[in-house]
Amino acid sequence: MKDILCAPFVEEMKEITANMYRLGWDERNGGNISWMLDEAQVGEYLDLSRVVRTIPTGFEAKPLIGKIFIVTGTGKYFRNIPKYPERDLGIIRIAEDGVTAELLWGFSDGGKFTSELPAHLMSHMTRLSVDPANRVVMHCHPTYLLAMNFVHPLEEKALTHTLWEMCTECMVVFPDGVGVLPWMVCGTNEIGIATAEKMKEFRLVVWGMHGLYGVGKDIDEAFGLIETVEKAAQVYMLSYNRPRINTIRDDELVEIAKAFGLEYRRDFLNL
Ligand code: 13P
Ligand code: ZN
């Protein structure tokens, strides 16, 4: 059996959480990540027949039975994950009943998975039905996007349009736009259901005045979506209260979409 602490998926989680912390997106225990792993790959590092303990999830995830995820722990600081991966991360498998998580490794202090597991697993289910290659769900609290939430309408068309205008690359990176949920209580099945519903259409979902969800086939893709939104939000916050003398026009956004052969949300433009 190889050393789990040297597994590429543990290394990657250590690296990305450190990065997200340094970017200021994950203060204290803010943010959480879940990443669906390949069973054969995990089997090189762990005896898959050995369940450390079982933890009820509080909701049903039948389509994910037998699937294995590496997830961040609830209350754990991203800042500490590189130092204490075995305590602050866990590898879970959804049990045969669909409502229990089998802990295969981690959460060594008796801890458990993120309180946002409903939003994560429900989003995995939805995204897998739209895109079978999806593997990662990432949540964080990016500073400029959060600031923007307080001064810009929390509406999908308006918010996406503003973000597209802020950097030429935005249309290329998220032509499908950004979904928006109003402020809701976090950590509940209700916000999980609402997030997963938005994930039918969007790979990015804003939780009003809370943070952002991004998904993708790997960590890079989910992270790349989030950092592009955050960059656009930063440009917006640095410029929105000054006279705007230049802008990327809607017909130019269409030109980008055409040049890159993109399927984009035409109804989010004002043409
Ligand atoms: P957890 O510590 O349970 O992951 O919660 C952090 C968070 O960002 C809540 O939305
Ligand atoms: Zn959060």
Side-chain angles (χ1 to χ4, degrees):
M1 213 52 77
K2 297 192 214 167
D3 180 3
I4 183 81
L5 290 172
C6 300
F9 43 86
V10 173
E11 291 289 351
E12 178 90 304
M13 287 293 278
K14 284 161 56 178
E15 215 174 280
I16 199 69
T17 49
N19 250 316
M20 292 169 80
Y21 173 70
R22 296 305 319 166
L23 286 163
W25 303 351
D26 298 277
E27 74 292 341
R28 201 174 183 276
N29 63 311
N32 22 76
I33 301 175
S34 62
W35 178 7
M36 196 170 105
L37 302 174
D38 176 54
E39 185 181 322
Q41 195 189 11
V42 182
E44 294 174 26
Y45 299 89
L46 295 176
D47 173 358
L48 298 178
S49 66
R50 197 181 149 265
V51 175
V52 180
R53 59 191 154 97
T54 56
I55 314 170
T57 63
F59 61 95
E60 201 174 81
K62 283 242 153 78
L64 299 179
I65 289 172
K67 302 288 186 208
I68 297 174
F69 297 86
I70 186 162
V71 284
T72 52
T74 186
K76 302 304 188 199
Y77 296 19
F78 273 24
R79 181 169 66 81
N80 290 332
I81 288 177
K83 226 159 65 177
Y84 305 110
E86 190 153 4
R87 184 192 70 185
D88 296 351
L89 297 173
I91 295 180
I92 59 168
R93 178 173 57 205
I94 304 306
E96 276 307 308
D97 62 4
V99 296
T100 304
E102 298 172 330
L103 182 66
L104 301 175
W105 173 83
F107 302 144
S108 61
D109 61 349
K112 68 178 223 172
F113 43 73
T114 171
S115 61
E116 304 297 2
L117 198 74
H120 280 256
L121 293 195
M122 292 179 197
S123 294
H124 276 287
M125 290 191 266
T126 302
R127 287 312 302 175
L128 285 168
S129 68
V130 183
D131 170 17
N134 196 82
R135 293 292 176 273
V136 173
V137 174
M138 190 179 273
H139 166 63
C140 57
H141 306 158
T143 312
Y144 288 94
L145 180 72
L146 211 38
M148 191 178 171
N149 273 217
F150 293 92
V151 296
H152 190 282
L154 273 176
E155 192 274 315
E156 280 156 7
K157 174 177 174 172
L159 187 73
T160 300
H161 189 269
T162 300
L163 293 170
W164 279 349
E165 284 180 312
M166 292 299 118
C167 313
T168 298
E169 281 291 299
C170 282
M171 172 59 96
V172 181
V173 175
F174 54 94
D176 42 351
V178 177
V180 176
L181 289 180
W183 184 89
M184 291 174 78
V185 176
C186 54
T188 62
N189 286 353
E190 287 67 35
I191 202 169
I193 292 164
T195 308
E197 184 61 29
K198 289 289 174 197
M199 290 283 179
K200 288 181 182 163
E201 265 183 276
F202 299 103
R203 293 172 300 151
L204 285 157
V205 177
V206 170
W207 278 7
M209 292 163 283
H210 178 138
L212 181 62
Y213 270 77
V215 299
K217 66 177 184 311
D218 53 27
I219 293 280
D220 270 353
E221 198 170 87
F223 182 83
L225 282 169
I226 291 172
E227 75 178 333
T228 307
V229 166
E230 175 62 351
K231 177 62 170 271
Q234 183 173 10
V235 174
Y236 178 78
M237 290 309 295
L238 290 172
S239 58
Y240 84 101
N241 55 358
R242 299 185 193 185
R244 185 162 339 163
I245 59 169
N246 295 303
T247 199
I248 304 173
R249 298 187 313 266
D250 279 20
D251 61 297
E252 292 171 325
L253 291 170
V254 173
E255 269 186 68
I256 301 169
K258 282 193 179 144
F260 286 82
L262 305 168
E263 262 316 309
Y264 65 102
R265 286 295 296 251
R266 286 156 211 263
D267 57 324
F268 283 0
L269 292 179
N270 297 313
L271 287 172

